Amino acid sequence: MGQWQRIIWGFGFCGFLLLSFLAEQTKAENSLNLVIEGKQLIPEVPPQIIQGRTLVPIRVISEGLGANVDWNTQSQVVTIQQDKRTIQIPIGKENTTVNGSNVPIDSPAQIIQERTFVPIRFVSENLGINVAWDENSQTVFVSKPYLVRFNGKNLHLEDRLLRIGTDFYVPLANLSSTLGIQAVVSSDATKTTVIYYGKTITLNTKTINNQLFVPVTQIEKKLQIKSHINPTNQRIDFFQFINLETYQNPPLPKVFNGNLLFIWKAENISQGNVEAMINQAKQLGVSGVFIKYANGSLVDDPVSQKYMDQFKRLVGPFKAAGFKVGGWIYQYLSDVPGEVDATSQAIEAGADFIVLDGEDEVIGKNEQVTEFGKLLRAKYPKIPVGFSSYAVSHLHSTIPFKEYNEFVNVMMPQIYWADMEMNVEDAFNLSITDYSSFKKPILPTGQLYGAVTPTDIERFTQLNNQYKLSGISWWDWDEATNEQLKKATCFPNGGIIMK
């Protein structure tokens, strides 16, 4: 094989390595080990330390990570592309380009024994690949950056997450307060003792880059914190849930018990034919419906008035057919008295209960929420009211959850697991854990639109039953397929949902 062919063969690369302190190592060249994405790779030509910098053959790295690489024989330039990053490295030159900008390189790429070598540190820093050096084993660890989240919140540890063998390692110091570790009592090279909620627990750890790293499997096993690794999205989620066996949901007001469907635009259900809608609801066996009655205030808003007309047209026939009927409003709170008036009209028209949907439009409107609550309760002190919003309140701290919680009876998290890019169980458990802090009855809302499967829907209902929740709701009847609707109302495993 000729030099040109060897260079092309040596390039299937991807991003790679950081390692400034390898420059200080004086070990023999063949004593350096390479572990990429958890697998040890042995190159035909070992890594080279030249003028205090470590150079690695591209072929070895490419086998572990992969990227688009091009070799221009005429200009003697290597082009490496990964995601939105492009690096051009001329052989033997001290200037390179990164995404079109000139960037100096302190150790030029070289051809050694008919193999193309590049400096570890330069390539890794410019392609965003995580690298660590283990002094004891003389090993370079290389892994793609993973986003780390705890209960849905980004921890910004992606630049420090490592993959070693079959496990992922995370820095213990950065996670301690997040995970609830009170103190690190003692440690050695492989064991670390911590205090975790009053218990003394020993974790298997590694000292890398002079820091303690703990494997994800240890966090899950020893600390009972669930983890979920998503290789496609390069993300690791940690979840700390309440104890399912001991959780007790405060009793729901009776009108919220059962299986309830949201109606957004009635014309999309049986072409708006009320009799056909009622017959389908009977066939499905649902307990009741939420019908939209306003989109903010009705004042000078024909769209919002259309929803009120919809509500008044449906509420009587549905109640006469034996269904519980609630009205719901999407809140803006730009005209608080106007939204109170719209709610009053829905109650006077026959609403058994009210649901307030507060999302981005109510961000920062704490005073308006309080005003709405006072005006509504002054007029209707006993009407059952639910608050519907995002599934995880602590991720939306600018929404006035506290102010709503002061006057509503029920909290209704929108647990749309597919939109959250989570599996059903993790999304459900995380949301119930989060909303349990409000000390109010919880009526979860599941997802009945998009690419949600019957298995997902069934699992949502099973979890609802396991938490002994007496009500369940679904968004929404308008967009759901017949298959989704049937699965959502079939009460798997007998259920405990009460009508």
Side-chain angles (χ1 to χ4, degrees):
M1 181 182 294
Q3 175 176 310
W4 179 82
Q5 291 173 303
R6 288 187 182 278
I7 291 174
I8 292 299
W9 176 246
F11 277 51
F13 175 37
C14 116
F16 181 57
L17 287 111
L18 169 108
L19 216 49
S20 58
F21 29 78
L22 275 183
E24 302 174 3
Q25 302 302 316
T26 57
K27 304 293 182 181
E29 293 171 353
N30 59 8
S31 69
L32 298 180
N33 301 307
L34 288 174
V35 176
I36 302 177
E37 288 296 288
K39 299 178 181 179
Q40 184 168 355
L41 299 180
I42 302 175
E44 295 178 10
V45 181
Q48 309 284 311
I49 298 178
I50 300 175
Q51 296 181 350
R53 293 291 182 264
T54 300
L55 276 67
V56 177
I58 289 180
R59 176 182 177 183
V60 174
I61 303 168
S62 69
E63 290 174 352
L65 295 174
N68 296 320
V69 179
D70 181 61
W71 168 248
N72 188 311
T73 54
Q74 185 174 4
S75 63
Q76 295 277 290
V77 173
V78 178
T79 301
I80 303 169
Q81 291 182 312
Q82 185 183 39
D83 298 327
K84 297 180 180 180
R85 308 185 190 201
T86 300
I87 302 175
Q88 292 183 310
I89 307 176
I91 300 298
K93 301 293 180 63
E94 295 183 353
N95 291 310
T96 70
T97 60
V98 178
N99 284 352
S101 299
N102 293 326
V103 178
I105 187 171
D106 59 3
S107 181
Q110 298 188 32
I111 295 176
I112 303 171
Q113 298 183 34
E114 299 186 328
R115 302 294 193 277
T116 301
F117 279 67
V118 294
I120 291 173
R121 177 179 179 180
F122 179 84
V123 175
S124 65
E125 288 181 342
N126 287 285
L127 288 180
I129 304 302
N130 293 343
V131 180
W133 167 247
D134 184 6
E135 176 71 27
N136 293 328
S137 64
Q138 293 286 288
T139 301
V140 177
F141 293 100
V142 185
S143 56
K144 297 176 182 177
Y146 270 63
L147 177 67
V148 181
R149 303 199 306 181
F150 181 79
N151 281 359
K153 184 177 182 179
N154 295 346
L155 298 186
H156 304 291
L157 298 176
E158 61 268 28
D159 59 335
R160 307 183 66 183
L161 183 72
L162 304 174
R163 187 172 184 178
I164 302 174
T166 58
D167 212 341
F168 287 88
Y169 281 68
V170 291
L172 182 59
N174 295 69
L175 284 179
S176 291
S177 59
T178 301
L179 301 182
I181 295 174
Q182 284 79 41
V184 177
V185 180
S186 63
S187 64
D188 58 31
T190 60
K191 302 286 184 182
T192 300
T193 302
V194 301
I195 303 298
Y196 182 67
Y197 291 104
K199 297 180 180 179
T200 301
I201 297 174
T202 300
L203 302 171
N204 296 332
T205 54
K206 279 184 178 290
T207 301
I208 302 172
N209 293 353
N210 297 317
Q211 296 183 70
L212 285 174
F213 278 71
V214 60
V216 169
T217 51
Q218 282 285 291
I219 293 173
E220 187 167 71
K221 180 179 179 181
K222 297 291 187 67
L223 304 183
Q224 300 298 305
I225 294 174
K226 186 174 180 180
S227 65
H228 178 69
I229 298 173
N230 188 328
T232 302
N233 294 335
Q234 290 183 213
R235 189 179 81 202
I236 294 181
D237 280 286
F238 291 110
F239 301 107
Q240 196 169 36
F241 302 135
I242 59 175
N243 190 327
L244 174 63
E245 296 177 356
T246 60
Y247 174 73
Q248 292 185 339
N249 193 44
L252 282 169
K254 289 184 179 180
V255 291
F256 285 97
N257 284 334
N259 205 316
L260 305 156
L261 292 175
F262 275 89
I263 295 176
W264 178 16
K265 299 177 180 179
E267 66 268 22
N268 294 333
I269 306 171
S270 300
Q271 297 180 328
N273 184 288
V274 180
E275 184 177 352
M277 293 169 65
I278 290 173
N279 287 337
Q280 185 181 8
K282 288 180 178 178
Q283 292 172 5
L284 292 170
V286 299
S287 309
V289 291
F290 310 95
I291 304 170
K292 186 168 184 178
Y293 65 82
N295 200 49
S297 172
L298 302 178
V299 179
D300 297 324
D301 190 339
V303 173
S304 191
Q305 184 61 53
K306 181 180 178 181
Y307 286 119
M308 181 59 72
D309 296 341
Q310 163 184 275
F311 181 83
K312 291 180 177 179
R313 181 172 68 89
L314 298 179
V315 59
F318 266 95
K319 291 187 70 170
F323 294 97
K324 295 178 288 188
V325 178
W328 71 275
I329 176 175
Y330 191 89
Q331 293 207 288
Y332 292 82
L333 296 176
S334 301
D335 175 11
V336 173
E339 293 193 22
V340 172
D341 176 68
T343 303
S344 298
Q345 289 190 40
I347 294 171
E348 297 301 324
D352 296 310
F353 52 95
I354 293 296
V355 174
L356 310 173
D357 186 354
E359 300 180 30
D360 288 352
E361 286 73 14
V362 301
I363 286 176
K365 295 181 179 179
N366 304 58
E367 294 181 0
Q368 291 90 329
V369 170
T370 298
E371 181 187 1
F372 179 92
K374 289 180 178 179
L375 291 173
L376 179 66
R377 284 310 184 190
K379 196 170 185 178
Y380 301 100
K382 295 183 179 181
I383 186 75
V385 180
F387 175 55
S388 175
S389 192
Y390 298 108
V392 186
S393 66
H394 76 261
L395 299 180
H396 301 274
S397 59
T398 52
I399 289 178
F401 282 95
K402 178 178 178 294
E403 286 75 11
Y404 275 110
N405 193 45
E406 290 176 354
F407 70 90
V408 302
N409 306 98
V410 178
M411 301 299 278
M412 300 174 59
Q414 302 167 4
I415 312 177
Y416 304 154
W417 61 87
D419 288 356
M420 297 165 68
E421 297 183 346
M422 295 172 64
N423 63 51
V424 178
E425 185 166 353
D426 287 343
F428 194 98
N429 289 337
L430 175 58
S431 184
I432 300 301
T433 297
D434 181 86
Y435 271 72
S436 65
S437 64
F438 295 115
K439 310 299 183 184
K440 289 285 178 69
I442 299 173
L443 175 67
T445 302
Q447 183 171 353
L448 283 191
Y449 64 89
V452 298
T453 68
T455 301
D456 288 342
I457 296 168
E458 181 174 5
R459 182 59 181 147
F460 191 90
T461 307
Q462 289 172 343
L463 289 162
N464 199 78
N465 294 341
Q466 288 176 26
Y467 273 103
K468 298 181 175 61
L469 307 183
S470 59
I472 193 169
S473 60
W474 301 96
W475 177 272
D476 63 340
W477 190 352
D478 312 25
E479 300 172 281
T481 66
N482 287 332
E483 186 179 28
Q484 289 171 337
L485 284 168
K486 289 177 181 178
K487 182 58 68 172
T489 55
C490 71
F491 301 101
N493 299 333
I496 59 121
I497 299 173
M498 301 180 293
K499 290 188 178 182

